[in-house]
Amino acid sequence: MKRFLHDHPLGAVFILAALCLLPIMFLRDFSPDNELKYLSIADEAIENGQFFAFTNHGVPYADKPPLYLWIVMLGRILFGNSCMPFLALFSLIPAYLIIWALDDWLRKSAGLLQKPLERAGAALMLLTCFLFLGCSIFVRMDMLMCLFIILALRSFWMMYSGIGSFKKQSFLLPIWIFLAVFTKGPVGLLMPPITIICFLLIVRKGRTIWKYIGWKTWGIIAGLCLLWFAGVYADGGKSYLNDLLFHQTFGRAVNSFHHKAPIYYYFITIWYSIAPWCLLLVGALIASFFNKEKNRSELETFFLTGIVATFVMLTAFSGKLAIYMLPIYPLMAYLFIFIKNRLGWRNWMKWSLAVPIVLLAIVGIAGVLALTIFKEYDLVRNMTSSYSFASSPLIVIGLIILAIGSIYSLILTLRSGWVRPVITQGVTILLFAFTVSFLMPKINDYSGFGNFAKMIPDGAEVVAVNIRSAENMDVYLGHTVKDYGKDMEGFRKDLGEGKITAEYLITDSNRFRKVKGIEEYVSAMPHKACGTYWLVSLEKE
């Protein structure tokens, strides 16, 4: 094993991560908001025979380009409702490829990461960033887009530095950019060119911009986009194409109709997005930005430019989500390698690494004490009573692993450099995830509709009130759900006038209790519970 780690450090990390994360991928349910929606859209596309213009319950859905939805369609055809592991691989494998690309890039272009443990440490640091780890297993297109963006930036650098064939990379660069756009949208088109242009201006080589992103680059991108738009026009017509090109791009950027957030939003979300390495990585970013330019290599400058330019660009956009920043986190993780190599192991690095580790150790110890010695206290009982899995022995075992691993990582941090504590803490996080992953069948009661849908008799008509994304339950039921949203009064009125012929009401009890008089209404009806969801019979016994 030691020999394998020495010869194949990335392979060892990837195998460990796969063993720890695969149980989650096999056992977890689709989230109602996005993942289940993608499945519902894919089902409609398959039924309608459309591949470029999509609908969500009959309403045109131009929010996302087709590449990832094609993958979802393939999963539905091959595996039906059991396609979660297949689709999750299209997040995990791109995450692995991002790490491989950055590792290879720094070793060949900067002479860094020559030691096996350093390569494993850098890989685990990125892989266990909170948001990056989550995106590695969830069914979303963001990790795939992030991969294409990193490959585009890498192709430019190979052209700029003279590594490999300029002709080959000049062809691959627009291909990667187009695939990024074809996967998620405008960020894939904007981030690589803006980073390249800003970098060339910073190093005072602005006259060469057209050399790298000239007629050939934009011509290939435009040609591929025209083929895509032709397919969109054939499937959805002029209105769908207009929605795709303008409403879903410029509209969202200037005045978002979804996810609108203040300008300081990312200054807050970045801290938990790259936890537990946030202090170290943000510190490295600041050190790179303010350190004397003559000591900074051009490749470090390129990474720094990509981070800052993308952060400014996304901050300027009206629509904001923490996940939109995903493409900068690989650059931040590997920018630290430049800083460590250039400045050495400094005291601020040690304490930036130690503080989050101490907090994780405290969480582990406090959690174990709360679920064992103090489990009868009202505060603990109130916190755990709402979730059937909260007091499971697996949670306690996971917290013990977290506490012991974090304490050992802290000792290593105080005694040595960054590599061994990062590897230890990264392995600890993965083992914690592995331990609690076997609770997913119970967690699914609260996070998805799969277990809940099994309670509904085949073919039974249902209406939904105050349950988010209820319309996407058609993936499990095989038919549409009439959704009243938050209109409880409208539901009562229609029920009283005999306009509702459905046999069951489905709702989220947490939201339902906030509506005056609801609990009395439901208590008069036979109902079953699954997590926070209620299945209420509309026929009194």
Side-chain angles (χ1 to χ4, degrees):
M1 181 63 186
K2 187 175 181 180
R3 183 66 183 176
F4 181 81
L5 177 60
H6 182 273
D7 295 340
H8 308 284
L10 295 190
V13 170
F14 294 163
I15 291 172
L16 174 66
L19 292 174
C20 292
L21 299 178
L22 282 176
I24 299 178
M25 293 162 59
F26 274 90
L27 296 175
R28 66 177 289 266
D29 193 9
F30 295 97
S31 65
D33 286 345
N34 289 306
E35 296 176 337
L36 210 58
K37 179 170 67 176
Y38 298 151
L39 267 64
S40 182
I41 292 169
D43 287 347
E44 287 187 55
I46 294 170
E47 183 179 352
N48 298 331
Q50 292 182 303
F51 293 92
F52 291 95
F54 302 97
T55 57
N56 186 18
H57 302 98
V59 178
Y61 182 82
D63 293 42
K64 301 293 186 293
L67 180 59
Y68 194 78
L69 292 173
W70 289 350
I71 295 172
V72 178
M73 291 166 67
L74 178 61
R76 296 293 284 166
I77 293 171
L78 293 177
F79 303 102
N81 283 344
S82 302
C83 62
M84 169 62 81
F86 170 80
L87 296 178
L89 285 176
F90 284 89
S91 295
L92 185 62
I93 292 176
Y96 285 176
L97 291 175
I98 289 170
I99 292 171
W100 169 84
L102 288 165
D103 177 88
D104 182 73
W105 191 354
L106 265 65
R107 287 192 300 118
K108 292 181 177 178
S109 298
L112 301 176
L113 297 176
Q114 298 302 312
K115 297 179 180 179
L117 286 182
E118 288 185 345
R119 297 175 64 192
L124 277 169
M125 179 181 288
L126 175 57
L127 188 59
T128 54
C129 285
F130 175 74
L131 188 66
F132 195 88
L133 182 61
C135 290
S136 299
I137 55 176
F138 281 92
V139 177
R140 288 186 65 97
M141 63 283 295
D142 298 83
M143 191 63 80
L144 193 59
M145 179 195 69
C146 184
L147 169 64
F148 294 135
I149 288 174
I150 295 297
L151 290 176
L153 296 176
R154 184 172 180 267
S155 286
F156 160 76
W157 187 260
M158 295 179 75
M159 295 163 61
Y160 177 80
S161 61
I163 300 175
S165 168
F166 186 97
K167 184 177 181 180
K168 176 183 176 182
Q169 297 304 325
S170 67
F171 175 76
L172 287 176
L173 174 62
I175 297 296
W176 299 137
I177 293 175
F178 171 75
L179 288 174
V181 179
F182 204 48
T183 303
K184 182 72 186 280
V187 172
L189 177 65
L190 295 174
M191 181 180 171
I194 287 177
T195 299
I196 293 168
I197 292 170
C198 290
F199 168 75
L200 291 174
L201 291 174
I202 289 171
V203 296
R204 300 178 181 179
K205 296 181 180 178
R207 293 182 179 180
T208 65
I209 290 174
W210 205 246
K211 174 183 177 181
Y212 301 105
I213 46 176
W215 289 113
K216 181 180 180 180
T217 301
W218 295 113
I220 292 174
I221 294 173
L224 292 172
C225 285
L226 285 175
L227 292 175
W228 169 21
F229 299 152
V232 169
Y233 185 81
D235 263 2
K238 184 178 179 180
S239 61
Y240 189 98
L241 182 60
N242 180 71
D243 191 17
L244 174 68
L245 292 178
F246 299 102
H247 188 54
Q248 295 295 337
T249 52
F250 300 110
R252 282 192 168 187
V254 176
N255 187 22
S256 177
F257 40 90
H258 292 303
H259 316 308
K260 196 168 184 177
I263 195 168
Y264 55 81
Y265 176 81
Y266 291 123
F267 288 94
I268 298 173
T269 61
I270 191 172
W271 297 104
Y272 65 78
S273 296
I274 54 176
W277 319 113
C278 46
L279 295 178
L280 186 64
L281 299 189
V282 172
L285 174 64
I286 295 172
S288 178
F289 189 84
F290 287 105
N291 207 263
K292 291 182 180 180
E293 189 174 352
K294 65 179 181 179
N295 296 326
R296 186 193 304 140
S297 70
E298 284 194 326
L299 184 53
E300 181 187 332
T301 301
F302 185 55
F303 274 49
L304 178 62
T305 302
I307 296 166
V308 175
T310 304
F311 191 93
V312 171
M313 175 185 72
L314 293 178
T315 298
F317 289 168
S318 176
K320 297 179 179 68
L321 279 178
I323 201 171
Y324 292 170
M325 280 288 178
L326 182 65
I328 76 169
Y329 298 144
L331 299 179
M332 288 186 68
Y334 280 81
L335 179 68
F336 165 75
I337 305 300
F338 288 99
I339 298 302
K340 165 59 180 64
N341 181 70
R342 186 154 60 91
L343 303 182
W345 183 243
R346 301 293 183 89
N347 276 333
W348 68 262
M349 297 179 184
K350 178 173 67 175
W351 293 111
S352 295
L353 186 59
V355 170
I357 291 175
V358 169
L359 293 177
L360 287 176
I362 292 173
V363 168
I365 295 170
V368 171
L369 293 176
L371 295 177
T372 54
I373 298 176
F374 304 112
K375 64 181 179 180
E376 297 302 325
Y377 281 59
D378 289 341
L379 177 62
V380 177
R381 189 183 301 170
N382 292 337
M383 293 174 62
T384 59
S385 61
S386 300
Y387 300 97
S388 60
F389 59 87
S391 57
S392 168
L394 286 174
I395 296 288
V396 176
I397 294 171
L399 290 171
I400 291 173
I401 292 172
L402 183 63
I404 294 175
S406 298
I407 292 171
Y408 185 52
S409 299
L410 178 62
I411 294 172
L412 292 174
T413 301
L414 299 177
R415 287 182 177 178
S416 60
W418 70 277
V419 177
R420 294 184 184 278
V422 165
I423 291 177
T424 303
Q425 192 64 47
V427 171
T428 298
I429 292 170
L430 291 176
L431 290 177
F432 174 81
F434 174 77
T435 304
V436 301
S437 67
F438 295 99
L439 290 173
M440 286 310 305
K442 291 184 178 180
I443 297 175
N444 289 337
D445 290 348
Y446 303 85
S447 62
F449 290 151
N451 291 344
F452 182 49
K454 294 176 183 177
M455 297 169 53
I456 303 174
D458 292 340
E461 289 188 44
V462 295
V463 294
V465 178
N466 235 15
I467 185 169
R468 189 170 180 176
S469 303
E471 70 278 3
N472 296 322
M473 203 179 293
D474 64 340
V475 172
Y476 294 116
L477 301 180
H479 57 78
T480 57
V481 175
K482 181 174 176 56
D483 187 7
Y484 278 85
K486 297 181 180 180
D487 186 13
M488 185 61 205
E489 293 305 319
F491 165 72
R492 279 181 174 175
K493 182 174 180 295
D494 287 351
L495 185 64
E497 295 177 359
K499 295 180 181 179
I500 296 178
T501 59
E503 303 162 65
Y504 294 96
L505 161 70
I506 57 176
T507 189
D508 185 326
S509 61
N510 284 345
R511 294 188 178 95
F512 213 44
R513 289 191 178 100
K514 297 177 182 179
V515 183
K516 186 177 180 180
I518 291 303
E519 288 191 82
E520 293 80 359
Y521 173 82
V522 172
S523 63
M525 300 287 193
H527 63 276
K528 300 178 182 179
C530 179
T532 62
Y533 302 117
W534 282 348
L535 177 66
V536 184
S537 173
L538 294 179
E539 296 182 2
K540 291 186 179 181
E541 292 182 343

